């Protein structure tokens, strides 16, 4: 099977390779609810040695730079209460944590969650966090530019391997809120 973006040797529909995924991601695939079938989401094998963006696109395809998104975990605080959320924005942008995220979560202060919090709460590996399989009660803030792409490269829950996901899927995930301007240049 050939990947719709990038140049990968191993391309597998996710329902066929659940053992390659972390438990929360595999569980999300097993209980798939999106309108686009789960077999349109593809797992691609990648080498963690090439995880740095510049090296990654050199090895797997320059087209991936404009078609990749990062999923980051943020923590918002107000009146002693912490709200965790995930944000998905194109990798060529940065998440507007102190503007769009803070306002959307209705918090006084927002910042990136610590690595321990991000991995502990998601059950995913740092550097591989993906919006598929996040805790169901979390808001998932998605930049509209991600949803507009035919396919997007995101983490798989592990450092090894990535997912190729039709952009529209992200708008259908639990807790998804699509926002203009979440990712800024």
């Amino acid at each position: 099977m050939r990947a719709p973006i990038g140049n990968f040797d191993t391309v597998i529909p996710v329902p066929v390779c659940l053992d390659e995924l972390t438990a929360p991601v595999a569980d999300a695939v097993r209980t798939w609810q999106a309108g686009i079938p789960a077999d349109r989401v593809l797992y691609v094998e990648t080498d963690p040695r090439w995880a740095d963006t510049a090296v990654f696109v050199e090895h797997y395809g320059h087209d991936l730079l404009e078609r990749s998104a990062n999923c980051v975990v943020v923590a918002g605080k107000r009146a002693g209460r912490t709200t965790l959320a995930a944000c998905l924005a194109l990798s060529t942008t940065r998440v507007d944590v102190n503007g769009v995220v803070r306002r959307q979560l209705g918090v006084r202060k927002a910042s990136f969650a610590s690595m321990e919090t991000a991995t502990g709460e998601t059950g995913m590996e740092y550097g591989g966090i993906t919006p598929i399989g996040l805790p169901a009660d979390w808001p998932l803030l998605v930049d509209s530019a991600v949803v507009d792409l035919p396919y997007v490269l995101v983490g798989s829950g592990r450092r090894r391997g990535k997912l190729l996901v039709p952009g529209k899927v992200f708008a259908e995930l639990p807790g998804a809120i699509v926002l203009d301007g979440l990712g800024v240049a």
Side-chain angles (χ1 to χ4, degrees):
M1 170 178 260
R2 181 159 162 60
I5 59 174
N7 302 308
F8 300 96
D9 294 332
T10 304
V11 182
I12 308 166
V14 291
V16 178
C17 65
L18 297 177
D19 291 344
E20 297 295 330
L21 308 171
T22 59
V25 179
D27 289 344
V29 172
R30 281 188 200 94
T31 60
W32 193 256
Q33 301 279 323
I36 295 172
D39 64 1
R40 296 249 338 262
V41 177
L42 306 171
Y43 174 83
V44 294
E45 187 75 28
T46 61
D47 189 325
R49 293 176 299 167
W50 298 317
D52 175 72
T53 302
V55 176
F56 189 90
V57 299
E58 185 67 34
H59 188 78
Y60 294 111
H62 290 282
D63 64 324
L64 296 172
L65 189 59
E66 302 292 327
R67 299 176 186 177
S68 299
N70 293 325
C71 184
V72 296
V73 177
V74 296
K77 296 179 182 178
R78 182 179 194 104
R81 188 172 148 256
T82 300
T83 301
L84 294 176
C87 301
L88 185 67
L90 294 176
S91 60
T92 55
T93 65
R94 64 176 176 73
V95 173
D96 184 6
V97 175
N98 291 311
V100 174
V101 173
R102 187 181 55 75
R103 285 190 300 276
Q104 183 64 41
L105 296 179
V107 296
R108 286 189 168 283
K109 181 181 179 190
S111 59
F112 294 105
S114 69
M115 180 173 64
E116 294 79 19
T117 297
T119 57
E121 295 291 327
T122 63
M124 300 179 201
E125 295 177 8
Y126 192 74
I129 294 175
T130 185
I132 297 172
L134 290 169
D137 59 338
W138 282 19
L140 168 60
L141 310 182
V142 181
D143 190 278
S144 59
V146 174
V147 175
D148 291 340
L149 290 173
Y151 267 90
V152 182
L153 177 87
V154 295
S156 67
R158 299 175 49 216
R159 294 270 305 155
R160 178 186 262 331
K162 300 281 186 189
L163 300 179
L164 301 178
V165 183
K168 294 190 181 336
V169 164
F170 299 114
E172 299 180 17
L173 294 176
I177 302 165
V178 179
L179 301 167
D180 292 330
L182 177 64
V184 293

